[in-house]
Amino acid sequence: MSAIVIGGGLMGSASAFFLARRGVRVTLLERNRIGTGATVASFGNIRRTGRFLPQMPLAHHSRALWAEAEALLGRDVEFRATGHLRLIFGDKGLADMRRFRQAAQPWGLDIEELDAAQVHRRFPGLGPGAIGASFSPHDGSGNPRLISPAFATAAARLGANVVEGAEVLDIAVTDAGFRVQTARGSFTAAQVLNAAGAWGGRLAERFGERVPIRPHGPQMGVTEPLPHRILPVVGVWAETGHGGYLRQVERGNIVFGGGVARTDVDLETGHAQYDLAGLPAQLASLIPLFPALAGVAVIRTWSGCEGYVADDLPVMGASATTPGLFHAFGFCGHGFQLGPGVGDVMAEMMATGRGLVPLDPFRIDRFPTG
């Protein structure tokens, strides 16, 4: 069996690895460099709190694979199960948290509810004005700069052909499967996986499958190093608008995001920009989470091209129009945690036709094609 994976981000590189692990002859095509799209722009959050509940089986499966990542890939990708703390500053946030906590328990996620005293005792310096929080002790973070190259390198060790600079120019159905013409030549295989991120909608439309997807750029930054005092990933049950989030890496820098609207991105170039005019408001949204950020220098900001589907859910599964074509794109800025699980689930579906977890809510034919 042979397969072409289009897109060398976390979803595509993980899929290529798990396909190769199942003995499939794989070619991984990336238009730029492996892991330089939405994945490298990611915050690195590995959290299950706040997810769309039918996505939870996939999230659980992926969390288990994150714990095995170093053994699977032969490289430390800086997965750290430091916990996910989500602060509460008002009655609406408290109600939202309790509603989610109760609804998530039948799906296998049991998060702790902390009152104000517990937050301040267990996490000094975080959220001094918080009235409570949720805490998921087994979640945490990983390094977005390491994970895709690690999967691609491991896939290559298993025999996968990894081709960078291979922008797709044309794709056609043949008697034997598919022929994909790229800037680096022509490739053929029996199956194709569309893991092209924000460009996934364009590829799907070639096969009569329209997805309402728009490209946006997250607003990310990192501070100068500070004394290490924050262990968990920190977010907020936002009362209104955009909630900020932050984490401290082992070198002491604070990585942050959220708090402001994402920017628009032109798919023709794929170049996403950070809007510096929004930096003061973004930092102001983070001060209630961690007041020690006041006066700290921001040393770098960045963005990346992410695909956001109209219903804020990804597209995953088999094509509804074309046998042998599969999709895994449009993860709407919350796909980092899911990445290893997506790769394993898609590889199993392509190699055996079997589903490891339910994917029905993410079918591409939930959208009208007309």
Side-chain angles (χ1 to χ4, degrees):
M1 182 183 293
S2 59
I4 293 171
V5 178
I6 299 175
L10 176 52
M11 307 306 170
S13 60
S15 298
F17 169 77
F18 285 110
L19 281 165
R21 200 164 178 245
R22 287 167 167 82
V24 177
R25 190 170 73 255
V26 185
T27 299
L28 175 61
L29 304 176
E30 165 53 40
R31 68 196 305 270
N32 292 313
R33 300 291 297 276
I34 295 295
T36 56
T39 303
V40 79
S42 170
F43 174 68
N45 199 358
I46 297 174
R47 58 110 185 144
R48 287 168 289 179
T49 302
R51 286 202 174 274
F52 176 60
L53 291 174
Q55 200 176 67
M56 205 60 73
L58 176 61
H60 291 325
H61 182 62
S62 195
R63 168 58 183 81
L65 290 171
W66 273 108
E68 301 173 14
E70 184 172 359
L72 282 172
L73 305 177
R75 180 178 183 180
D76 178 15
V77 293
E78 297 182 7
F79 167 66
R80 304 291 186 264
T82 55
H84 182 266
L85 180 73
R86 199 162 182 174
L87 298 166
I88 302 166
F89 291 95
D91 291 339
K92 182 180 183 301
L94 180 61
D96 288 346
M97 184 278 292
R98 287 177 172 170
R99 189 180 305 113
F100 176 81
R101 181 171 183 254
Q102 182 177 16
Q105 285 178 340
W107 292 89
L109 180 65
D110 190 10
I111 59 177
E112 298 179 44
E113 178 180 342
L114 308 181
D115 61 26
Q118 290 171 315
V119 172
H120 304 149
R121 183 174 66 253
R122 292 173 60 176
F123 305 101
L126 293 177
I131 64 171
S134 64
F135 185 61
S136 179
H138 303 297
D139 290 333
S141 64
N143 192 324
R145 295 181 176 275
L146 299 179
I147 188 64
S148 297
F151 267 119
T153 300
R157 286 199 298 266
L158 294 174
N161 182 24
V162 179
V163 188
E164 297 180 313
E167 181 178 2
V168 173
L169 305 176
D170 189 36
I171 181 168
V173 178
T174 69
D175 291 342
F178 298 86
R179 182 179 64 253
V180 181
Q181 184 66 40
T182 79
R184 294 287 305 278
S186 183
F187 302 88
T188 59
Q191 297 178 323
V192 164
L193 173 61
N194 169 18
W199 291 266
R202 288 187 172 184
L203 198 155
E205 193 163 359
R206 293 171 181 257
F207 297 92
E209 298 180 294
R210 294 185 180 178
V211 176
I213 182 172
R214 293 180 61 86
H216 294 297
Q219 305 294 280
M220 308 300 301
V222 63
T223 74
E224 62 184 322
L226 301 176
H228 203 286
R229 65 182 77 176
I230 304 174
L231 192 59
V233 177
V234 184
V236 59
W237 289 93
E239 295 285 303
T240 58
H242 306 274
Y245 42 86
L246 58 89
R247 63 185 178 94
Q248 188 169 28
V249 300
E250 292 165 3
R251 293 169 292 280
N253 311 75
I254 306 292
V255 181
F256 62 86
V260 290
R262 303 174 183 93
T263 57
D264 292 330
V265 180
D266 181 0
L267 270 186
E268 298 307 320
T269 65
H271 294 159
Q273 294 184 334
Y274 182 91
D275 181 9
L276 284 173
L279 181 57
Q282 186 173 37
L283 291 174
S285 75
L286 298 171
I287 296 300
L289 280 65
F290 185 45
L293 278 176
V296 172
V298 175
I299 62 174
R300 188 168 68 91
T301 58
W302 68 91
S303 186
C305 185
E306 296 180 331
Y308 290 80
V309 181
D311 60 5
D312 205 34
L313 296 176
V315 173
M316 285 186 68
S319 165
T321 65
T322 309
L325 175 65
F326 298 83
H327 302 290
F329 69 91
F331 285 86
C332 306
H334 52 73
F336 187 78
Q337 191 274 344
L338 300 174
V342 170
D344 195 29
V345 166
M346 295 309 302
E348 181 72 6
M349 180 178 292
M350 294 171 69
T352 71
R354 188 170 69 93
L356 291 174
V357 299
L359 295 179
D360 199 61
F362 316 116
R363 293 166 55 97
I364 195 167
D365 59 4
R366 70 184 189 267
F367 302 109
T369 58

Short mmCIF file of all heavy atoms in Angstrom, two decimals, residues 136-192:
data_model
loop_
_atom_site.label_atom_id
_atom_site.label_comp_id
_atom_site.label_asym_id
_atom_site.label_seq_id
_atom_site.Cartn_x
_atom_site.Cartn_y
_atom_site.Cartn_z
N SER A 136 -6.36 20.51 35.77
CA SER A 136 -6.25 19.19 35.15
C SER A 136 -4.80 18.74 35.31
O SER A 136 -3.92 19.20 34.57
CB SER A 136 -6.64 19.27 33.67
OG SER A 136 -6.52 18.01 33.05
N PRO A 137 -4.50 17.88 36.27
CA PRO A 137 -3.10 17.61 36.65
C PRO A 137 -2.29 16.85 35.62
O PRO A 137 -1.05 16.90 35.67
CB PRO A 137 -3.24 16.81 37.94
CG PRO A 137 -4.58 16.17 37.86
CD PRO A 137 -5.45 17.16 37.13
N HIS A 138 -2.92 16.15 34.68
CA HIS A 138 -2.18 15.29 33.77
C HIS A 138 -1.92 15.95 32.41
O HIS A 138 -1.29 15.33 31.55
CB HIS A 138 -2.91 13.97 33.57
CG HIS A 138 -3.15 13.24 34.86
ND1 HIS A 138 -2.13 12.77 35.65
CD2 HIS A 138 -4.31 12.92 35.52
CE1 HIS A 138 -2.63 12.19 36.73
NE2 HIS A 138 -3.95 12.27 36.67
N ASP A 139 -2.40 17.17 32.22
CA ASP A 139 -2.12 17.88 30.98
C ASP A 139 -0.86 18.72 31.15
O ASP A 139 -0.18 18.64 32.16
CB ASP A 139 -3.34 18.72 30.59
CG ASP A 139 -4.51 17.85 30.13
OD1 ASP A 139 -4.26 16.74 29.64
OD2 ASP A 139 -5.66 18.29 30.27
N GLY A 140 -0.52 19.51 30.15
CA GLY A 140 0.72 20.28 30.25
C GLY A 140 1.08 20.94 28.94
O GLY A 140 0.26 21.61 28.32
N SER A 141 2.31 20.72 28.46
CA SER A 141 2.77 21.41 27.26
C SER A 141 3.84 20.58 26.55
O SER A 141 4.39 19.63 27.10
CB SER A 141 3.34 22.79 27.62
OG SER A 141 4.47 22.65 28.45
N GLY A 142 4.12 20.98 25.32
CA GLY A 142 5.20 20.41 24.52
C GLY A 142 5.83 21.50 23.70
O GLY A 142 5.34 22.63 23.66
N ASN A 143 6.91 21.20 23.01
CA ASN A 143 7.63 22.20 22.23
C ASN A 143 7.19 22.16 20.77
O ASN A 143 7.50 21.19 20.06
CB ASN A 143 9.13 21.98 22.34
CG ASN A 143 9.93 23.14 21.78
OD1 ASN A 143 9.54 23.77 20.81
ND2 ASN A 143 11.05 23.43 22.41
N PRO A 144 6.50 23.21 20.28
CA PRO A 144 6.03 23.20 18.90
C PRO A 144 7.15 23.20 17.87
O PRO A 144 6.93 22.80 16.72
CB PRO A 144 5.21 24.49 18.81
CG PRO A 144 4.88 24.86 20.20
CD PRO A 144 6.04 24.39 21.02
N ARG A 145 8.33 23.66 18.23
CA ARG A 145 9.43 23.70 17.28
C ARG A 145 10.10 22.34 17.09
O ARG A 145 10.82 22.14 16.11
CB ARG A 145 10.48 24.73 17.73
CG ARG A 145 9.95 26.15 17.72
CD ARG A 145 10.99 27.17 18.14
NE ARG A 145 10.44 28.50 18.01
CZ ARG A 145 10.43 29.22 16.89
NH1 ARG A 145 10.94 28.70 15.79
NH2 ARG A 145 9.88 30.42 16.85
N LEU A 146 9.86 21.44 18.01
CA LEU A 146 10.53 20.14 17.95
C LEU A 146 9.65 19.03 17.40
O LEU A 146 10.15 18.08 16.78
CB LEU A 146 11.01 19.74 19.35
CG LEU A 146 12.03 20.65 20.04
CD1 LEU A 146 12.37 20.10 21.42
CD2 LEU A 146 13.27 20.81 19.19
N ILE A 147 8.33 19.10 17.62
CA ILE A 147 7.49 17.93 17.44
C ILE A 147 7.34 17.50 15.98
O ILE A 147 7.47 16.31 15.67
CB ILE A 147 6.11 18.14 18.12
CG1 ILE A 147 5.29 16.87 18.11
CG2 ILE A 147 5.35 19.31 17.49
CD1 ILE A 147 5.89 15.73 18.91
N SER A 148 7.08 18.42 15.06
CA SER A 148 6.91 18.01 13.66
C SER A 148 8.19 17.46 13.06
O SER A 148 8.18 16.38 12.43
CB SER A 148 6.37 19.17 12.81
OG SER A 148 5.10 19.56 13.24
N PRO A 149 9.34 18.15 13.21
CA PRO A 149 10.58 17.55 12.70
C PRO A 149 10.89 16.20 13.32
O PRO A 149 11.42 15.31 12.65
CB PRO A 149 11.64 18.60 13.06
CG PRO A 149 10.90 19.89 13.11
CD PRO A 149 9.56 19.53 13.68
N ALA A 150 10.54 16.02 14.60
CA ALA A 150 10.80 14.73 15.25
C ALA A 150 9.97 13.63 14.60
O ALA A 150 10.47 12.52 14.35
CB ALA A 150 10.49 14.82 16.74
N PHE A 151 8.69 13.90 14.33
CA PHE A 151 7.85 12.90 13.66
C PHE A 151 8.35 12.63 12.25
O PHE A 151 8.40 11.47 11.80
CB PHE A 151 6.39 13.36 13.62
CG PHE A 151 5.56 12.87 14.77
CD1 PHE A 151 4.97 13.76 15.66
CD2 PHE A 151 5.35 11.52 14.97
CE1 PHE A 151 4.19 13.32 16.71
CE2 PHE A 151 4.57 11.05 16.02
CZ PHE A 151 3.99 11.96 16.90
N ALA A 152 8.70 13.69 11.51
CA ALA A 152 9.15 13.50 10.13
C ALA A 152 10.46 12.72 10.08
O ALA A 152 10.65 11.84 9.22
CB ALA A 152 9.31 14.86 9.44
N THR A 153 11.39 13.03 10.97
CA THR A 153 12.66 12.31 11.01
C THR A 153 12.45 10.84 11.36
O THR A 153 13.06 9.95 10.76
CB THR A 153 13.61 12.97 12.01
OG1 THR A 153 13.85 14.33 11.62
CG2 THR A 153 14.93 12.23 12.10
N ALA A 154 11.57 10.60 12.33
CA ALA A 154 11.28 9.21 12.70
C ALA A 154 10.59 8.48 11.56
O ALA A 154 10.85 7.28 11.33
CB ALA A 154 10.42 9.18 13.96
N ALA A 155 9.71 9.17 10.82
CA ALA A 155 9.07 8.55 9.66
C ALA A 155 10.11 8.19 8.60
O ALA A 155 10.05 7.12 7.98
CB ALA A 155 8.01 9.50 9.08
N ALA A 156 11.07 9.10 8.37
CA ALA A 156 12.12 8.84 7.38
C ALA A 156 12.95 7.62 7.78
O ALA A 156 13.36 6.83 6.92
CB ALA A 156 13.00 10.07 7.22
N ARG A 157 13.21 7.47 9.07
CA ARG A 157 13.97 6.28 9.53
C ARG A 157 13.22 5.00 9.22
O ARG A 157 13.83 3.93 9.05
CB ARG A 157 14.24 6.38 11.03
CG ARG A 157 15.31 7.39 11.40
CD ARG A 157 15.85 7.11 12.81
NE ARG A 157 14.81 7.23 13.83
CZ ARG A 157 14.56 8.34 14.52
NH1 ARG A 157 15.27 9.45 14.28
NH2 ARG A 157 13.61 8.37 15.44
N LEU A 158 11.89 5.09 9.15
CA LEU A 158 11.07 3.92 8.83
C LEU A 158 10.86 3.76 7.32
O LEU A 158 10.13 2.87 6.90
CB LEU A 158 9.71 4.03 9.53
CG LEU A 158 9.75 3.97 11.06
CD1 LEU A 158 8.36 4.24 11.64
CD2 LEU A 158 10.25 2.62 11.53
N GLY A 159 11.47 4.63 6.53
CA GLY A 159 11.40 4.50 5.08
C GLY A 159 10.57 5.53 4.36
O GLY A 159 10.48 5.50 3.12
N ALA A 160 9.95 6.46 5.07
CA ALA A 160 9.13 7.49 4.42
C ALA A 160 10.02 8.43 3.61
O ALA A 160 11.16 8.73 3.99
CB ALA A 160 8.34 8.27 5.45
N ASN A 161 9.49 8.90 2.49
CA ASN A 161 10.16 9.89 1.65
C ASN A 161 9.64 11.26 2.03
O ASN A 161 8.47 11.58 1.81
CB ASN A 161 9.87 9.60 0.18
CG ASN A 161 10.57 10.56 -0.76
OD1 ASN A 161 11.58 11.16 -0.39
ND2 ASN A 161 10.04 10.73 -1.95
N VAL A 162 10.48 12.09 2.66
CA VAL A 162 10.07 13.42 3.13
C VAL A 162 10.61 14.45 2.14
O VAL A 162 11.84 14.55 1.95
CB VAL A 162 10.61 13.69 4.55
CG1 VAL A 162 10.21 15.08 5.01
CG2 VAL A 162 10.11 12.62 5.52
N VAL A 163 9.71 15.21 1.51
CA VAL A 163 10.09 16.15 0.46
C VAL A 163 9.64 17.56 0.86
O VAL A 163 8.44 17.83 0.96
CB VAL A 163 9.46 15.77 -0.89
CG1 VAL A 163 10.03 16.65 -2.01
CG2 VAL A 163 9.70 14.29 -1.21
N GLU A 164 10.59 18.44 1.08
CA GLU A 164 10.29 19.83 1.41
C GLU A 164 10.34 20.69 0.15
O GLU A 164 10.88 20.29 -0.88
CB GLU A 164 11.28 20.35 2.45
CG GLU A 164 11.21 19.61 3.77
CD GLU A 164 12.20 20.13 4.79
OE1 GLU A 164 13.39 20.30 4.41
OE2 GLU A 164 11.80 20.37 5.95
N GLY A 165 9.75 21.89 0.23
CA GLY A 165 9.69 22.77 -0.94
C GLY A 165 8.82 22.22 -2.05
O GLY A 165 9.00 22.56 -3.22
N ALA A 166 7.85 21.37 -1.68
CA ALA A 166 7.05 20.65 -2.67
C ALA A 166 5.61 21.17 -2.68
O ALA A 166 4.67 20.45 -2.34
CB ALA A 166 7.08 19.15 -2.39
N GLU A 167 5.44 22.42 -3.04
CA GLU A 167 4.09 22.98 -3.16
C GLU A 167 3.30 22.21 -4.21
O GLU A 167 3.81 21.92 -5.30
CB GLU A 167 4.15 24.45 -3.53
CG GLU A 167 2.78 25.10 -3.65
CD GLU A 167 2.85 26.58 -3.99
OE1 GLU A 167 3.97 27.10 -4.17
OE2 GLU A 167 1.78 27.21 -4.07
N VAL A 168 2.05 21.87 -3.88
CA VAL A 168 1.21 21.10 -4.80
C VAL A 168 0.71 22.01 -5.91
O VAL A 168 0.09 23.05 -5.66
CB VAL A 168 0.03 20.46 -4.05
CG1 VAL A 168 -0.94 19.82 -5.04
CG2 VAL A 168 0.54 19.41 -3.07
N LEU A 169 0.99 21.63 -7.15
CA LEU A 169 0.55 22.38 -8.32
C LEU A 169 -0.69 21.77 -8.95
O LEU A 169 -1.52 22.49 -9.51
CB LEU A 169 1.69 22.43 -9.35
CG LEU A 169 3.03 22.99 -8.84
CD1 LEU A 169 4.09 22.89 -9.93
CD2 LEU A 169 2.86 24.42 -8.35
N ASP A 170 -0.81 20.45 -8.88
CA ASP A 170 -1.96 19.77 -9.45
C ASP A 170 -2.10 18.41 -8.78
O ASP A 170 -1.12 17.83 -8.30
CB ASP A 170 -1.78 19.60 -10.97
CG ASP A 170 -3.05 19.09 -11.64
OD1 ASP A 170 -4.15 19.49 -11.19
OD2 ASP A 170 -2.96 18.28 -12.57
N ILE A 171 -3.33 17.92 -8.76
CA ILE A 171 -3.59 16.59 -8.23
C ILE A 171 -4.69 15.97 -9.06
O ILE A 171 -5.70 16.62 -9.36
CB ILE A 171 -3.96 16.64 -6.73
CG1 ILE A 171 -4.21 15.22 -6.18
CG2 ILE A 171 -5.13 17.55 -6.47
CD1 ILE A 171 -4.30 15.18 -4.66
N ALA A 172 -4.47 14.73 -9.47
CA ALA A 172 -5.42 14.07 -10.36
C ALA A 172 -5.65 12.64 -9.91
O ALA A 172 -4.75 11.99 -9.36
CB ALA A 172 -4.90 14.09 -11.80
N VAL A 173 -6.87 12.16 -10.15
CA VAL A 173 -7.20 10.76 -9.89
C VAL A 173 -6.76 9.93 -11.09
O VAL A 173 -6.99 10.31 -12.25
CB VAL A 173 -8.71 10.59 -9.65
CG1 VAL A 173 -9.07 9.13 -9.44
CG2 VAL A 173 -9.15 11.42 -8.45
N THR A 174 -6.09 8.80 -10.83
CA THR A 174 -5.64 7.90 -11.89
C THR A 174 -6.24 6.51 -11.66
O THR A 174 -6.88 6.26 -10.63
CB THR A 174 -4.11 7.80 -11.89
OG1 THR A 174 -3.69 7.09 -10.71
CG2 THR A 174 -3.46 9.18 -11.92
N ASP A 175 -5.99 5.62 -12.58
CA ASP A 175 -6.47 4.25 -12.42
C ASP A 175 -5.85 3.58 -11.19
O ASP A 175 -6.46 2.70 -10.57
CB ASP A 175 -6.13 3.42 -13.66
CG ASP A 175 -6.95 3.85 -14.87
OD1 ASP A 175 -7.99 4.51 -14.66
OD2 ASP A 175 -6.53 3.55 -16.00
N ALA A 176 -4.65 4.00 -10.83
CA ALA A 176 -3.94 3.39 -9.70
C ALA A 176 -4.11 4.16 -8.41
O ALA A 176 -3.62 3.73 -7.37
CB ALA A 176 -2.46 3.27 -10.03
N GLY A 177 -4.79 5.31 -8.47
CA GLY A 177 -4.96 6.11 -7.26
C GLY A 177 -4.88 7.59 -7.55
O GLY A 177 -5.81 8.19 -8.08
N PHE A 178 -3.71 8.21 -7.25
CA PHE A 178 -3.56 9.65 -7.40
C PHE A 178 -2.17 9.99 -7.95
O PHE A 178 -1.19 9.30 -7.66
CB PHE A 178 -3.72 10.36 -6.04
CG PHE A 178 -5.07 10.18 -5.41
CD1 PHE A 178 -5.33 9.05 -4.62
CD2 PHE A 178 -6.09 11.10 -5.61
CE1 PHE A 178 -6.57 8.87 -4.04
CE2 PHE A 178 -7.33 10.91 -5.03
CZ PHE A 178 -7.58 9.80 -4.25
N ARG A 179 -2.14 11.08 -8.71
CA ARG A 179 -0.87 11.66 -9.14
C ARG A 179 -0.83 13.10 -8.64
O ARG A 179 -1.74 13.89 -8.94
CB ARG A 179 -0.70 11.63 -10.65
CG ARG A 179 0.64 12.19 -11.13
CD ARG A 179 0.81 12.15 -12.64
NE ARG A 179 -0.18 13.02 -13.29
CZ ARG A 179 -1.23 12.58 -13.96
NH1 ARG A 179 -1.45 11.27 -14.06
NH2 ARG A 179 -2.07 13.43 -14.52
N VAL A 180 0.20 13.44 -7.89
CA VAL A 180 0.34 14.78 -7.33
C VAL A 180 1.54 15.45 -7.97
O VAL A 180 2.68 14.97 -7.82
CB VAL A 180 0.51 14.73 -5.79
CG1 VAL A 180 0.63 16.15 -5.23
CG2 VAL A 180 -0.67 14.01 -5.15
N GLN A 181 1.30 16.52 -8.69
CA GLN A 181 2.36 17.29 -9.32
C GLN A 181 2.76 18.42 -8.38
O GLN A 181 1.92 19.19 -7.92
CB GLN A 181 1.89 17.87 -10.66
CG GLN A 181 2.97 18.60 -11.44
CD GLN A 181 4.08 17.66 -11.91
OE1 GLN A 181 3.80 16.53 -12.33
NE2 GLN A 181 5.33 18.11 -11.80
N THR A 182 4.05 18.51 -8.08
CA THR A 182 4.54 19.52 -7.15
C THR A 182 5.71 20.30 -7.77
O THR A 182 6.20 19.97 -8.86
CB THR A 182 5.04 18.87 -5.84
OG1 THR A 182 6.35 18.32 -6.05
CG2 THR A 182 4.10 17.80 -5.35
N ALA A 183 6.16 21.29 -7.06
CA ALA A 183 7.32 22.06 -7.48
C ALA A 183 8.59 21.21 -7.44
O ALA A 183 9.62 21.62 -7.99
CB ALA A 183 7.48 23.29 -6.59
N ARG A 184 8.55 20.04 -6.82
CA ARG A 184 9.70 19.14 -6.74
C ARG A 184 9.49 17.86 -7.53
O ARG A 184 10.18 16.87 -7.31
CB ARG A 184 9.98 18.80 -5.27
CG ARG A 184 10.44 19.96 -4.41
CD ARG A 184 11.88 20.37 -4.72
NE ARG A 184 12.79 19.25 -4.60
CZ ARG A 184 13.31 18.83 -3.43
NH1 ARG A 184 12.97 19.45 -2.30
NH2 ARG A 184 14.14 17.83 -3.41
N GLY A 185 8.51 17.86 -8.43
CA GLY A 185 8.29 16.69 -9.26
C GLY A 185 6.94 16.05 -9.02
O GLY A 185 6.11 16.55 -8.26
N SER A 186 6.71 14.92 -9.68
CA SER A 186 5.43 14.22 -9.64
C SER A 186 5.54 12.98 -8.75
O SER A 186 6.56 12.27 -8.77
CB SER A 186 5.02 13.80 -11.05
OG SER A 186 3.76 13.19 -11.05
N PHE A 187 4.46 12.75 -7.98
CA PHE A 187 4.44 11.61 -7.06
C PHE A 187 3.10 10.89 -7.22
O PHE A 187 2.06 11.52 -7.42
CB PHE A 187 4.60 12.09 -5.62
CG PHE A 187 5.87 12.85 -5.38
CD1 PHE A 187 5.92 14.23 -5.58
CD2 PHE A 187 7.02 12.20 -4.97
CE1 PHE A 187 7.09 14.95 -5.37
CE2 PHE A 187 8.20 12.90 -4.76
CZ PHE A 187 8.23 14.28 -4.96
N THR A 188 3.14 9.57 -7.11
CA THR A 188 1.92 8.77 -7.25
C THR A 188 1.76 7.87 -6.03
O THR A 188 2.73 7.44 -5.40
CB THR A 188 1.97 7.90 -8.52
OG1 THR A 188 3.10 7.02 -8.45
CG2 THR A 188 2.07 8.77 -9.76
N ALA A 189 0.50 7.58 -5.71
CA ALA A 189 0.19 6.68 -4.60
C ALA A 189 -1.26 6.26 -4.70
O ALA A 189 -2.08 6.89 -5.40
CB ALA A 189 0.46 7.35 -3.26
N ALA A 190 -1.61 5.20 -3.96
CA ALA A 190 -2.98 4.70 -3.96
C ALA A 190 -3.90 5.60 -3.14
O ALA A 190 -5.11 5.67 -3.40
CB ALA A 190 -3.01 3.28 -3.43
N GLN A 191 -3.34 6.29 -2.12
CA GLN A 191 -4.15 7.11 -1.23
C GLN A 191 -3.49 8.47 -1.04
O GLN A 191 -2.28 8.61 -1.20
CB GLN A 191 -4.31 6.44 0.14
CG GLN A 191 -5.05 5.12 0.12
CD GLN A 191 -5.13 4.51 1.51
OE1 GLN A 191 -4.20 4.59 2.31
NE2 GLN A 191 -6.26 3.89 1.82
N VAL A 192 -4.31 9.45 -0.69
CA VAL A 192 -3.81 10.79 -0.37
C VAL A 192 -4.47 11.25 0.93
O VAL A 192 -5.69 11.10 1.11
CB VAL A 192 -4.11 11.80 -1.49
CG1 VAL A 192 -3.95 13.24 -0.99
CG2 VAL A 192 -3.19 11.55 -2.68
#
